[in-house]
Amino acid sequence: MPTWFNDLATSAWNRTSVTVNIFKNAHQGGYLGPMPGWFKGNLNSAHNNMMSSVDSLC
């Protein structure tokens, strides 16, 4: 992810059928939870402006 992405996400759009794990730290540190395939919307309010990296489960 680009550095400008760190801790700024409020919403997300997973345009795949694959579940994506979201993390609060770069390099998949600080697990926040899964984002199901085809999810489109706001992140959990507890995760607002925290997401910094993602990892797909494929």
Side-chain angles (χ1 to χ4, degrees):
M1 297 276 170
T3 56
W4 56 263
F5 181 81
N6 283 339
D7 305 331
L8 294 176
T10 297
S11 63
W13 187 1
N14 181 356
R15 298 179 192 200
T16 73
S17 61
V18 176
T19 297
V20 173
N21 285 324
I22 60 173
F23 301 88
K24 66 180 179 178
N25 301 323
H27 309 294
Q28 292 83 40
Y31 180 72
L32 293 173
M35 181 187 311
W38 308 117
F39 173 84
K40 180 181 181 181
N42 292 330
L43 298 174
N44 178 315
S45 61
H47 300 156
N48 189 36
N49 292 326
M50 291 181 71
M51 186 171 72
S52 291
S53 60
V54 298
D55 183 37
S56 66
L57 300 177
C58 57

